[in-house]
Amino acid sequence: MTWYSSWYLLVRHGGGDERIELFHRKVLGPVLDTLDSTARYWMLHAIYSAHSDGGKKARDKESHYWRTAAAEKRIKVRKIRGRDAMRVEVSA
């Protein structure tokens, strides 16, 4: 769900800019206001770390799935008739 008054965590790094949607401003604002600058920084850093770790683990799991399927020759690629598209399946 995307609200137009949401807050985003903007992270700039070597890969470019990354925006992570945090939560609705009315809910998150009072929580962030209770924290001092250092505590706010560490809380947002923890959110970013959890986000990036989750993404890395998901990519690693998906990569392992496809590498294993390729090594076991279980990937089937078929042309879809009448279209300029391919259908990719991994057999059990």
Side-chain angles (χ1 to χ4, degrees), residues 75-89:
I75 299 175
K76 307 255 190 241
V77 180
R78 293 191 177 101
K79 170 102 171 76
I80 298 176
R81 186 181 301 172
R83 295 178 54 192
D84 190 25
M86 303 295 276
R87 182 176 177 171
V88 181
E89 298 175 350

Side-chain angles (χ1 to χ4, degrees), residues 32-43:
L32 290 177
D33 287 342
T34 62
L35 302 173
D36 66 336
S37 178
T38 304
R40 190 176 311 128
Y41 169 81
W42 284 111
M43 186 184 83

Side-chain angles (χ1 to χ4, degrees), residues 18-51:
E18 183 178 358
R19 294 182 192 278
I20 301 168
E21 185 175 5
L22 295 176
F23 205 70
H24 192 269
R25 184 179 301 220
K26 288 181 181 178
V27 176
L28 189 61
V31 173
L32 290 177
D33 287 342
T34 62
L35 302 173
D36 66 336
S37 178
T38 304
R40 190 176 311 128
Y41 169 81
W42 284 111
M43 186 184 83
L44 293 173
H45 184 274
I47 291 171
Y48 173 71
S49 294
H51 173 78

